Amino acid sequence: MTEGSEVVRHSHPGSGRRRRHFHGKGRQVDTPALAEVRALLGDRPRRRDLLIEFLHLIQDHYRHLSAAHVAALADELRLAQTEVYEVATFYHHFDVVKEGETAPAPLTVRVCDSITCAMTGGEALLARLKATAGKDVRVVHGPCMGGCDRAPCAAVGRNQIVHATVEAVSAAIAAKDVAPRVPAYVDFDAYVKAGGYGLLKACLAGRHTPEAIIDILDNAKIRGLGGAGFPTGRKWRLVRAEPAPRLMAVNADEGEPGTFKDRFFLETDPHRFLEGMLIGRWVVEAPTVYIYLRDEYPAVREILAREIARIEAAGLAPAGAIELRRGAGAYICGEESAMLESIEGKRGLPRHKPPYPAQVGLFGRPTLINNVETLHWVRDIVEKGAEWFAGHGRRGRVGIRTFSVSGRVRDPGVKVAVAGITLAELIAEHCGGMAQGHTLKGYLPGGASGGILPATMADVPLDFGTLEQYGCLIGSAAVVVLSNEDSAADAALNLMKFFEDESCGQCTPCRNGCRKAVDLMGRPAWDKPLLEELSRAMMDASICGLGQAAPNGLLSVFKYFPDDVPKGRF
């Protein structure tokens, strides 16, 4: 661990100082449970920011979190039991069992029921598995698993089953096939043999300056490709201008239904991303970079753990300079400040802004935050020149965009195209046309929060700033294609149910607004004035983008698909 990291962590309350040990009136610590927790933690440092990692250790081993283990972990970390309990109960993938409650079945099967999986039979699959699974299996719904191009998806333990059927899932259950399947990918040796890490080595040797790298990114006009679209070079420059020590965090928590591009990059060419990340770390002089990876990607986690060790062994980064952190099933942690809270071992509650993370971020320090795709392009942009990246685009738009395309197309998947391409062109040039027997009805240009556009608007350029006038957003470029077989109203209800599940609950407009919208949209007739009033309240008063964007799909139905609206008073 670097000296800079120590300074940062000791400046964070609870991460460096030890409080006096005492037992209050709450649950007393069970000695055997404390011994079990200590055995699992081993010689790992007892730091507050590692709370979620430690909860995963216990959950993975015992398949749930008992009250005794929660109390023991709190004692070991010198935290109040309520602090540990509120974190454990915040995340979907932790199963907290209270005193006297029955532990869940030893095996959990999650079935995705987000929009693309719902379109391809996910809800029926969930119902059938619940009816046929044995007593030792718990079947629950799960939010988007990042397999939208291979829908429907189910996870048997840590093993993701794509194009899932009852037979395939049942066979995995019977065989206890619960481990993640790691696909073939470009490993460290292959990447280096093809010229990889040459740019990073040149930076470390002083053949480039941080300012020169930032200038290239500026001239390339690359923007944050996680959804916000903030100019990347400008962000790096702002963070570098802040006082040291500075930190870096990578948002690999793509939980937006319809989005799976980061999974694709990490499962195929992880070192291209890792080199871009390490160049960013070098530019802002961050002693530590944290990769926050969603828990739905266990195969990616194995890849990164393996390849980060290779990077450290090669001397390209000091041991401990890259920390791989595991999410626990919370879409809200894709919001940058909620992600920072989670990395610090807390509930993923978005922070009020300002200050922004570039000024006050992780552990109170200036923090550079980028997503996986943005960092994936850094090496190519620097080596090929800013003009190469900026030279792509149609209709006056600039750059390369990676589209996650799913739904009613012949060939779904990750499509590397250009900014400004239209949906009609994307389907014709990259997806082999519409699926057999389907006619384009509409599309989601930016995942669950990006709204829904009709087929008559398939010629709108897809990029930042081109869709807002229509009440939509491109976000992370998750394109879900609807056909004549689909109801836009059903799609909007599916999206709102997702937001209801994933609201962090911090602010009333989002927490109660999503719940109320689901109730109103589930009725035989939609009350348009009431739903529009509710939407305005959510958009105006929610703390973060979840509540602000949740009504986009609903409002799109009123605007573009009036025939799909369950008829109420208008």
Side-chain angles (χ1 to χ4, degrees):
M1 187 180 302
T2 64
E3 183 178 353
S5 296
E6 283 296 307
V7 171
V8 170
R9 286 167 183 149
H10 281 265
S11 68
H12 179 67
S15 63
R17 291 175 290 180
R18 306 282 282 185
R19 295 201 297 269
R20 290 179 58 192
H21 173 70
F22 69 95
H23 292 298
K25 293 183 179 180
R27 178 186 176 88
Q28 300 303 300
V29 177
D30 181 71
T31 301
L34 183 60
E36 291 167 347
V37 167
R38 286 175 173 170
L40 284 175
L41 269 55
D43 60 358
R44 295 175 177 86
R46 272 46 170 181
R47 299 203 317 259
R48 172 67 169 83
D49 64 293
L50 292 175
L51 172 58
I52 294 173
E53 296 295 307
F54 294 159
L55 289 170
H56 274 303
L57 286 174
I58 299 170
Q59 172 93 14
D60 289 347
H61 188 81
Y62 292 100
R63 299 292 183 264
H64 66 278
L65 300 171
S66 69
H69 285 141
V70 168
L73 181 60
D75 184 80
E76 189 68 5
L77 293 180
R78 303 297 188 264
L79 296 172
Q81 292 181 26
T82 53
E83 290 183 79
V84 177
Y85 180 81
E86 71 177 9
V87 171
T89 54
F90 180 84
Y91 296 91
H92 294 313
H93 289 185
F94 291 139
D95 296 311
V96 181
V97 178
K98 298 178 183 178
E99 190 77 30
E101 289 185 342
T102 302
L107 177 61
T108 295
V109 175
R110 300 182 190 276
V111 181
C112 178
D113 60 358
S114 291
I115 182 163
T116 309
C117 284
M119 291 165 60
T120 53
E123 293 170 332
L125 175 65
L126 174 63
R128 288 189 62 193
L129 287 172
K130 281 186 174 182
T132 58
K135 63 179 181 178
D136 293 332
V137 179
R138 179 181 60 158
V139 179
V140 297
H141 91 96
C144 185
M145 298 177 183
C148 317
D149 54 332
R150 304 174 294 189
C153 289
V156 179
R158 310 294 289 168
N159 176 19
Q160 188 176 109
I161 310 294
V162 299
H163 301 302
T165 62
V166 172
E167 293 74 21
V169 175
S170 299
I173 294 171
K176 295 182 170 57
D177 187 5
V178 297
R181 297 176 181 175
V182 178
Y185 64 93
V186 180
D187 66 7
F188 181 82
D189 290 336
Y191 185 73
V192 171
K193 186 176 180 180
Y197 291 110
L199 176 58
L200 175 63
K201 291 176 182 177
C203 291
L204 297 174
R207 294 197 293 275
H208 296 284
T209 66
E211 292 76 13
I213 297 294
I214 292 174
D215 285 342
I216 293 172
L217 297 179
D218 270 337
N219 293 333
K221 296 181 172 60
I222 182 173
R223 302 171 66 171
L225 299 174
F230 193 86
T232 301
R234 182 182 173 192
K235 179 184 285 190
W236 287 25
R237 183 173 280 111
L238 288 171
V239 175
R240 182 171 168 79
E242 294 292 324
R246 297 174 286 270
L247 295 174
M248 183 177 180
V250 176
N251 191 338
D253 192 60
E254 58 170 3
E256 184 86 2
T259 306
F260 46 90
K261 59 186 177 61
D262 291 351
R263 187 211 77 215
F264 171 79
F265 287 130
L266 293 171
E267 284 186 345
T268 57
D269 196 7
H271 285 281
R272 194 168 298 270
F273 146 72
L274 289 167
E275 184 170 9
M277 178 192 77
L278 290 173
I279 291 169
R281 171 181 175 270
W282 169 78
V283 166
V284 300
E285 299 174 352
T288 311
V289 53
Y290 296 80
I291 303 174
Y292 188 85
L293 178 68
R294 67 186 312 224
D295 198 33
E296 288 82 358
Y297 290 171
V300 173
R301 183 166 171 263
E302 289 199 13
I303 291 171
L304 289 178
R306 184 185 305 167
E307 299 306 313
I308 288 170
R310 299 289 303 277
I311 290 171
E312 293 176 347
L316 295 172
I322 306 172
E323 291 214 16
L324 180 58
R325 293 298 181 88
R326 180 178 169 188
Y331 164 76
I332 191 63
C333 290
E335 196 277 336
E336 62 178 10
S337 66
M339 177 190 70
L340 298 181
E341 290 287 298
S342 191
I343 292 174
E344 292 180 2
K346 305 173 187 175
R347 293 175 295 167
L349 301 180
R351 300 174 180 176
H352 291 275
K353 301 174 187 177
Y356 295 95
Q359 302 162 307
V360 181
L362 195 55
F363 305 117
R365 302 308 309 169
T367 304
L368 173 64
I369 301 176
N370 285 124
N371 94 304
V372 171
E373 185 190 356
T374 305
L375 296 171
H376 171 90
W377 292 113
V378 168
R379 176 190 165 193
D380 280 341
I381 290 172
V382 176
E383 290 185 342
K384 296 179 181 179
E387 298 78 11
W388 167 78
F389 189 85
H392 290 83
R394 296 180 185 176
R395 300 174 181 86
R397 315 309 299 181
V398 174
I400 298 172
R401 292 304 305 262
T402 304
F403 295 88
S404 304
V405 185
S406 63
R408 311 298 191 181
V409 294
R410 190 182 301 272
D411 181 24
V414 171
K415 311 298 178 181
V416 179
V418 297
I421 194 172
T422 67
L423 177 82
E425 293 168 340
L426 188 64
I427 293 175
E429 298 173 21
H430 296 273
C431 302
M434 293 290 293
Q436 185 70 33
H438 290 268
T439 302
L440 178 65
K441 176 176 183 173
Y443 63 105
L444 285 67
S449 57
I452 310 173
L453 290 174
T456 55
M457 299 178 68
D459 291 326
V460 175
L462 299 177
D463 195 17
F464 295 115
T466 63
L467 301 172
E468 286 79 356
Q469 61 184 311
Y470 307 114
C472 294
L473 304 166
I474 191 170
S476 59
V479 176
V480 182
V481 179
L482 308 179
S483 80
N484 55 302
E485 298 290 325
D486 305 305
S487 162
D490 287 347
L493 177 56
N494 179 280
L495 302 177
M496 192 62 76
K497 287 180 177 178
F498 170 79
F499 289 124
E500 179 191 23
D501 278 350
E502 297 299 331
S503 173
C504 74
Q506 180 178 193
C507 68
T508 302
C510 177
R511 179 185 66 249
N512 290 353
C514 289
R515 184 182 304 127
K516 184 63 175 178
V518 167
D519 174 56
L520 293 172
M521 295 169 72
R523 297 179 183 180
W526 283 12
D527 187 332
K528 183 181 180 186
L530 183 57
L531 281 166
E532 288 181 331
E533 181 182 3
L534 177 63
S535 297
R536 285 193 297 272
M538 293 173 64
M539 297 168 78
D540 291 343
S542 295
I543 290 174
C544 79
L546 190 155
Q548 295 165 10
N552 285 343
L554 162 64
L555 296 177
S556 294
V557 175
F558 285 137
K559 189 172 184 179
Y560 301 116
F561 303 92
D563 291 342
D564 284 8
V565 177
K567 299 306 178 184
R569 62 184 176 86
F570 279 69

